[in-house]
Amino acid sequence: MSSDRLDMVVVGAGFAGLAMLHAARALGLAVRVVEAGGGVGGTWFWNRYPGARCDVESMEYSYQFSEALQQDWVWHERYAAQPEILAYAEHVADRFDLRRDIQFDTRVVSAAFDEDRSEWRVTTTAGETLRTRFMVMATGCLSVANRPDLPGLGRFRGPRYHTGDWPHEGVDFSGLRVGIIGTGSSAVQAIPVIAERADHLTVFQRTATYTVPAHNRPLPPAESAAIKADYATLRARAKRTFSGIDIVFNEAEALAVTPAARQREYEARWAQGGIGFIAAFADLLRSAEANATAAQFVRDKIGEVVRDPAVAERLAPRHVIGCKRLCLDTGYWRSFNQPNVTLVDIAENPIAGVVEGGIVAGGRTWPLDAIVLATGFDAMTGALNRIDIGGIGGLKLAQKWAAGPRTYLGLAIAGFPNLFTVTGPGSPSVLTNMLPTIEQHVEWIAACVAHVGARGARQIAAEPGAEDAWVAHNAEVASRTLRSTCASWYVGANVPGKPRVFMPYIGGFPTYVKACAAIAAEGYAGFHLS
Ligand code: FAD
Ligand code: NAP
């Protein structure tokens, strides 16, 4: 066991872990970051599939804790591709000399709270036990691949890939018959790019997806310079919106305007591209009737692009638009006009299994040389539940969360003192631009840790009553929106056996930030210091 006690162990070196390390150092804390991967960047270290890029504009999908950093860094596209985002994470690590406190290629296996010493004992795959006063879980909301248990998958003789764990050297699909399972955000980005190279691409679709054009383009230097000249205004405007993204949330209701006015608004947003489409009207995620107008608009667009009416019909989603995460694409529908792309509807013809030479669905074998699983993630709780975390009285986190995650603010968990989660379940996290959301958490945690130190306390713990109230508030706001009504990963529906709880906080970024600030201002109301 390492004899020196650390002040803080941070798990994960994605954007959350890097920011936490930087902030903790500023407090003068002795910090170690433990990262399972061989480099920084988290999501952007692992998700190297063809076409991977952000869906929040690059100028916003970046840190703001350092004015010099945001002035110096140059983004080259409206939506940066994975290599550029990874290069940005690496630049941050180098610029702030972060790597010296990061232990790579090491996974945290367990963490147990020692009540007598008010410290965490953290074991890792490197065989060490670290002692630390505080633990910060920066383990990511979308960092554990969801790999469906398809019968016979192990027998497949070709290579298999998951988008969230892509080979670093890349994959050349030229001349190959490729099958891709899934049509979520990852698949929507990957399909057009794989279809360019593969001899044939077979897309196995369980649920048709809503996607909006990204209209990605180079970012001219003059445009980014104009933003940089007054970055603070853009950042402040974004923080006032529901999602923390600088998009215009129309206050008008879809059903209160004429059909022609509605169409004009949808067309304008379609032409602009981006996830702002779903903010076209205020009632789109409240009223099923309003939502149906936007859904029909997208279905009509599919019909305009996809030439084969039977394929267009199968590609047309029927669920609530925006309920599952809205996708952004570059040429997704068009791909299905290519003669080398086939769509297989596995909702109608479920996958019966995998054989040596392909996937069996709808009573036939689809011959394949390679399989891509674009089947998403065990989101929000997956990475935390995979660590054996024991709190007060030996209470296990996985046990506490057996019926779904329970947190106070998505930042702390009753029964687990001195442990914080960055963008944990119960925080706005995945419903927002993650970068400012991560920074807000990191700043809050740093201030809280400083407060504990200033008070001479050894321990801070969320009170069960405060946690219960937050969980109830989460459920109440979720019940008001259509977003909690479909089988999405927001409710854990993509992972068999996972409890159905709407996991992110859907009360809006500004409301949430205000709540966190008020709690801190009241001397950390709902927390117990000892
Ligand atoms: P991550 O980047 O997931 O990092 C967590 C790290 O923790 C990982 O490196 C992991 O290896 C490590 N880890 C986990 N468990 C352990 C353990 N037990 N021991 C050691 N290390 C561990 N969000 C947006 O706002 N805009 C976007 O455009 C956007 N695009 C995305 C595109 C893709 C393909 C995906 C998958 C997600 C996207 N997201 C986007 C969400 C994205 O996850 C966040 O924006 C952000 O990168 C999360 O950073 P993080 O540090 O919290 O988590
Ligand atoms: P996802 O949205 O969960 O999509 C997974 C896809 O796989 C869905 O189509 C799902 O079908 C299908 N699937 C899952 N299990 C299956 C099974 N057993 N059999 C058949 N099909 C199965 O995952 P993702 O596309 O990786 O995206 C996850 C999240 O990461 C996104 O929502 C987004 O937040 C983020 N992301 C963002 C971007 C971006 O544009 N910047 C890109 C990628 C990811 P069902 O719908 O029927 O479950």
Side-chain angles (χ1 to χ4, degrees), residues 430-451:
V430 290
L431 302 177
T432 62
N433 175 5
M434 289 288 277
L435 264 285
T437 300
I438 283 169
E439 289 193 84
Q440 182 257 341
H441 266 197
V442 162
E443 284 165 21
W444 193 96
I445 293 167
C448 180
V449 166
H451 174 80

Side-chain angles (χ1 to χ4, degrees), residues 464-479:
E467 181 178 274
D468 290 346
W470 186 252
V471 171
H473 172 57
N474 267 264
E476 197 273 317
V477 288
S479 72

Side-chain angles (χ1 to χ4, degrees), residues 210 263 266 290-302 317-318 321:
Y210 289 101
Q263 193 72 5
Y266 289 144
N291 189 281
T293 65
Q296 188 56 45
F297 178 88
V298 178
R299 284 194 291 268
D300 290 345
K301 289 288 181 196
I302 298 168
R318 300 285 158 193
I321 183 171

Side-chain angles (χ1 to χ4, degrees), residues 49 53 55 148 182-186 189 206-207 324-325 374 376 489:
Y49 60 85
R53 57 179 72 249
D55 61 2
T183 50
S185 302
S186 301
Q189 290 183 329
R206 187 167 69 182
T207 308
K324 295 182 183 227
R325 167 89 171 204
W489 60 258

Side-chain angles (χ1 to χ4, degrees), residues 213-269:
H215 296 317
N216 187 37
R217 56 178 171 75
L219 198 58
E223 192 175 328
S224 49
I227 292 173
K228 286 180 181 180
D230 191 13
Y231 228 142
T233 298
L234 168 72
R235 299 296 202 179
R237 203 167 53 226
K239 282 182 183 169
R240 287 194 293 271
T241 73
F242 185 87
S243 58
I245 306 174
D246 184 31
I247 48 183
V248 178
F249 282 74
N250 190 355
E251 285 176 13
E253 301 207 327
L255 300 177
V257 303
T258 64
R262 212 156 49 213
Q263 193 72 5
R264 270 200 305 279
E265 184 67 24
Y266 289 144
E267 286 289 3
R269 295 207 176 220

